[in-house]
Amino acid sequence: LSDKLQTILNLYRRGGYLIRTALMDMEFKPLADKMTDVNINTTSAREHVGDVERCIRLIKDRCRSVISDLPYRDFLPDQFVIHLLYFVARMLNAVPNDNGVSSEYSPKEIVTGQKFDFETQCKVKFGAYVEAHPDRDITNDMKLRAEPCIALGPTGNIQGGVNCYSLTTKKILERRSFTRLPMPD
């Protein structure tokens, strides 16, 4: 957890922001000793950080909404759920927030300075069936030129890569080229 928190602090630092205090539930108390450049303020027992709880609720609601549109919602591998959370958080940060600091700039743009390009980042719907194409130098061999996958949202790079769940290897692949196809039975 301390490594991930440090990654987030570094992201804000690169954007010109200095985080001095992090408000967290008491489950994060062990982080207080590990984090030297930020004050970890944890709540007491049975106490919560209201803004954080509301944000978690929003993310869960959006995840439920995405899942309700999937034709295979009865069973989702753990990797799906993890990437669904990434996807929802990325999309929430891609548009200006009505209650945020700016009605013109998205949270992503405020922190990173990068505008979210919907045409590049939203090439395929979360959960869509795709045939992902590997990047190969050799093109005259007999290896497969496409792999059946489920799209798990953008990778976050500016080129518009997509995270894909391989149906054959059950691993997450990052692909820049793919073909959208109708969902097979």
Side-chain angles (χ1 to χ4, degrees), residues 2 6-8 19 22 28 37 42 47 82 104 110 112-114 120 133 135 138-139 159 164 167 172:
S2 60
Q6 192 61 53
T7 300
I8 293 168
I19 307 299
F28 294 93
D37 53 348
T42 57
E47 192 178 32
I82 291 167
E104 190 175 334
I110 291 170
T112 66
Q114 296 175 347
T120 304
H133 308 289
D135 293 327
I138 301 170
T139 58
Q159 294 87 354
C164 299
L167 294 173
I172 304 298

Side-chain angles (χ1 to χ4, degrees), residues 9-33:
L9 293 173
N10 291 340
L11 174 71
Y12 278 93
R13 193 173 294 121
R14 280 194 306 272
Y17 298 93
L18 177 62
I19 307 299
R20 292 194 174 119
T21 303
L23 306 175
M24 300 182 172
D25 287 340
M26 68 181 282
E27 290 89 8
F28 294 93
K29 191 144 185 90
L31 287 181
D33 296 334

